[in-house]
């Protein structure tokens, strides 16, 4: 119950103000199509650089939580998911809005998000210390394989193609080698003076996630945004609470599904929402109502995608393996403050870790309170022309990249990586595994070199890296994750080809 000692730290003026700012801002950003939680957090990281580590993480955590929930606004009122995690919400949320039940759908989405989110953060509170104690058994060889596991898991699950996902991870690992070798001091791939100190992680995050979206928005030109914003009529919050209490099955399935999927690195909120929606439909006594405006569909989807948030940080804080692309960006936020997730996080930085986690718990409640008040405004923000939104995001990207080190070199790096990622995405590559390779590359390299020194002084490289129960288990998991993803991809292709033949 150590976390109780740090609850008061959340309510200091600066911490609570940043929590409010992140929550309200995240709701608005989440409701804006094209601004995903990952991109929102990446854009906010430069603003935390000069903040204390605790306050910076509070801002990022609040934005992460509320952006996922805010995506339900545009999903329900515009039939445009604010984030991939809100895809399942559109299936019943928008039909409810068209039936004049938009306020009810929004109320149910935020209430279910709060319940699922609180449960997920409680899992984070009670599971993380247990796993961090277990992580003390990890040595250099194990940490090397964990870094490889992080890249392969997200690389194989967050991409349409396993090969392209793994190649993205390898590109990230290569980018991590640019600069001076920490051990020998040798230059590596320094093609321009801007790369002398390596690639700045903040500039890379902004470039890889924001710039491709900016280019896409600009490419659409001055298109008329004709999406219809449905009127949010008045609806009693008490009636919404009663409605949710009458649907315990949907709430339970959504919360448990999201929590379990959140613990699996690389799966993401969109999978949690869709799986919870599917399972709720299968166990429902009214499956025929799904897709036509059934409240159970909204409750299950939103409970799941927010219950996923807390557990997705468990492997991040204990093993440095992000459970989602947004968690990968949060890892970058930790590293720039000199905080390395792992076995000693709760021993060396308990104030940072527990205050951050407590703020996420309180943030779930604030998200629910402010959700309905911001909903109408957020829906209007979603109507901002794409060209204007692109200009705003581009300005934030340039400002954020330059402000970290007051260097135009970081702006050049940000722009170059962004343009590169835009073309890679057009060929089916994903930014998440590339970022993971860039972040985990130095960790893998440092532990490999350290392990090599130990191995050369003992029994040799092969016995040190390839023997032992923990090493073998991690290697098996790496191979199994890639094999499973390859099998799922082949199965999906066979199913698609059969449908084409039948069609």
């Amino acid at each position: 119950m150590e976390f109780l000692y740090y609850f008061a730290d959340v309510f200091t003026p600066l911490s609570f103000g940043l929590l409010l700012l992140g929550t309200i801002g995240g709701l608005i950003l989440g409701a804006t199509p094209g601004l995903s939680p990952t991109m929102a957090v990446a854009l906010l990281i430069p603003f935390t650089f000069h903040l204390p580590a605790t306050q910076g993480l509070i801002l990022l955590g609040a934005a992460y939580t509320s952006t996922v929930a805010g995506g339900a606004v545009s999903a329900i009122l515009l039939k445009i998911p604010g984030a991939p995690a809100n895809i399942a919400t559109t299936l019943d949320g928008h039909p409810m809005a068209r039936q004049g039940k938009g306020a009810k759908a929004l109320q149910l989405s935020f209430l279910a998000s709060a319940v699922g989110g609180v449960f997920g953060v409680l899992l984070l509170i009670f599971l993380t210390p247990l796993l961090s104690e277990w992580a003390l058994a990890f040595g250099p060889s194990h940490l090397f394989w964990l870094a490889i596991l992080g890249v392969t898991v997200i690389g194989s699950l967050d991409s349409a193609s396993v090969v392209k996902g793994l190649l993205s991870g390898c590109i990230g690992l290569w980018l991590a080698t640019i600069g001076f070798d920490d051990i020998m001091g040798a230059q590596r791939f320094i093609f321009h003076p801007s790369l002398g100190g390596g690639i700045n992680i903040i500039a890379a995050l902004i470039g890889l996630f924001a710039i491709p979206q900016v280019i896409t928005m600009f490419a659409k030109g001055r298109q008329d945004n004709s999406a219809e914003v449905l009127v949010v009529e008045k609806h009693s919050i008490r009636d919404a609470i009663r409605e949710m209490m009458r649907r315990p099955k949907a709430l339970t399935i959504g919360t448990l599904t999201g929590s379990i999927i959140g613990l699996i690195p690389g799966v993401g909120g969109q999978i949690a929402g869709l799986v919870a929606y599917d399972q709720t439909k299968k166990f429902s006594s009214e499956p025929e109502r799904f897709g036509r405006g059934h409240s159970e569909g909204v409750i299950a989807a939103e409970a799941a995608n927010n219950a996923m948030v807390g557990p997705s940080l468990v492997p991040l804080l204990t093993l440095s393996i992000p459970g989602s692309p947004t968690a990968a960006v949060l890892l970058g936020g930790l590293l720039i403050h000199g905080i390395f997730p792992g076995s000693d996080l709760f021993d060396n930085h308990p104030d940072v870790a527990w205050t951050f986690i407590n703020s996420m718990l309180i943030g779930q409640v604030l998200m629910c309170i402010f959700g309905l008040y911001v909903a109408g405004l957020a829906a209007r923000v979603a109507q901002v022309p794409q060209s204007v939104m692109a200009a705003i995001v581009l300005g934030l990207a340039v400002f954020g990249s330059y402000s970290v080190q007051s260097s135009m070199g970081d702006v050049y790096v940000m722009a170059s990586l962004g343009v590169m990622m835009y073309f890679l995405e057009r060929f089916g590559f994903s930014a998440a595994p590339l970022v993971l390779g860039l972040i985990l590359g130095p960790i893998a390299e440092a532990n490999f070199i350290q392990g090599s020194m130990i191995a050369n002084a003992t029994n040799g490289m092969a016995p040190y890296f390839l023997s032992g129960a923990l090493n073998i288990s991690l290697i098996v998991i790496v191979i199994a994750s890639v094999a499973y993803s390859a099998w799922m991809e082949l199965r999906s292709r066979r199913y698609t080809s059969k449908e084409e033949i039948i069609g």
Side-chain angles (χ1 to χ4, degrees), residues 97-348:
R98 297 198 69 85
Q99 295 165 14
K101 301 176 183 176
K104 179 181 178 181
L106 286 170
Q107 289 169 347
L108 289 173
S109 72
F110 284 115
L111 288 169
S113 294
V115 173
V118 167
F119 184 84
V121 176
L122 289 175
L123 278 182
L124 174 64
I125 289 172
F126 292 108
L127 284 181
T128 304
L130 296 176
L131 288 179
S132 65
E133 291 180 8
W134 175 65
L136 287 170
F138 284 71
S141 64
H142 312 122
L143 293 174
F144 166 76
W145 286 116
L146 271 176
I148 300 301
L149 175 61
V151 176
T152 55
V153 167
I154 295 234
S156 57
L157 291 176
D158 192 61
S159 180
S161 167
V162 176
V163 174
K164 291 178 180 178
L166 294 177
L167 282 175
S168 295
C170 291
I171 293 172
L173 290 172
W174 170 69
L175 291 175
T177 65
I178 294 176
F180 285 91
D181 178 11
D182 291 337
I183 305 298
M184 306 300 295
Q187 290 187 1
R188 301 185 301 190
F189 307 111
I190 300 178
F191 308 115
H192 189 272
S194 301
L195 299 174
I199 292 180
N200 183 277
I201 187 62
I202 298 175
L205 289 172
I206 294 173
L208 293 170
F209 286 108
I211 297 304
Q213 285 293 331
V214 168
I215 297 174
T216 302
M217 290 178 186
F218 276 131
K220 293 179 180 178
R222 293 177 174 269
Q223 293 183 356
D224 181 29
N225 195 348
S226 58
E228 176 189 2
V229 180
L230 300 175
V231 177
V232 181
E233 78 293 347
K234 292 184 178 180
H235 186 267
S236 171
I237 189 68
R238 292 182 180 178
D239 291 341
I241 293 173
R242 291 193 195 100
E243 174 70 15
M244 192 175 70
M245 297 302 291
R246 287 199 296 265
R247 309 290 184 182
K249 189 184 298 182
L251 188 63
T252 302
I253 292 175
T255 301
L256 293 178
T257 302
S259 300
I260 294 169
I261 288 179
L263 288 168
I264 305 172
V267 178
Q270 63 269 33
I271 304 299
L274 290 168
V275 170
Y277 182 90
D278 177 67
Q279 293 302 309
T280 304
K281 181 178 180 180
K282 288 178 179 176
F283 285 97
S284 175
S285 57
E286 305 168 309
E288 69 282 353
R289 291 184 56 192
F290 280 74
R292 301 178 182 178
H294 195 6
S295 59
E296 285 190 354
V298 176
I299 292 170
E302 285 301 307
N305 61 35
N306 275 268
M308 178 274 309
V309 171
S312 72
L313 299 180
V314 173
L316 168 69
L317 296 178
T318 56
L319 304 173
S320 298
I321 300 178
S324 67
T326 314
V329 179
L330 280 174
L331 174 60
L334 283 166
L335 294 178
I336 65 171
H337 287 288
I339 297 173
F340 295 88
S343 57
D344 58 350
L345 176 63
F346 290 85
D347 293 329
N348 296 342

Side-chain angles (χ1 to χ4, degrees), residues 29 32-35 39 43 206 209-223 225 381-399 414 422:
L29 290 174
T32 306
L35 295 181
M39 181 173 156
L43 286 173
I206 294 173
F209 286 108
I211 297 304
Q213 285 293 331
V214 168
I215 297 174
T216 302
M217 290 178 186
F218 276 131
K220 293 179 180 178
R222 293 177 174 269
Q223 293 183 356
N225 195 348
V381 171
Q383 292 295 290
V384 174
Q386 292 280 312
S387 56
V388 175
M389 184 60 67
I392 294 172
V393 173
L394 181 60
L396 288 173
V398 173
F399 170 78
M414 178 271 294
Y422 171 74

Side-chain angles (χ1 to χ4, degrees), residues 420-496:
M420 178 193 74
M421 195 66 241
Y422 171 74
F423 288 105
L424 286 176
E425 285 184 349
R426 292 176 71 88
F427 289 98
F429 291 85
S430 175
L434 196 153
V435 167
L436 253 287
L438 181 60
I439 293 174
L440 295 178
I443 298 174
E445 182 182 15
N447 282 287
F448 180 78
I449 294 174
Q450 186 179 351
S452 300
M453 293 177 177
I454 297 172
N456 291 330
T458 54
N459 299 324
M461 295 283 288
Y464 183 78
F465 281 97
L466 302 177
S467 64
L470 197 49
N471 276 335
I472 294 173
S473 299
L474 290 170
I475 294 170
V476 168
I477 294 173
V478 169
I479 296 172
S481 69
V482 175
Y484 175 76
S485 298
W487 176 73
M488 289 297 292
E489 182 182 341
L490 290 173
R491 183 182 176 188
S492 175
R493 287 182 179 178
R494 287 191 195 123
Y495 181 75
T496 303

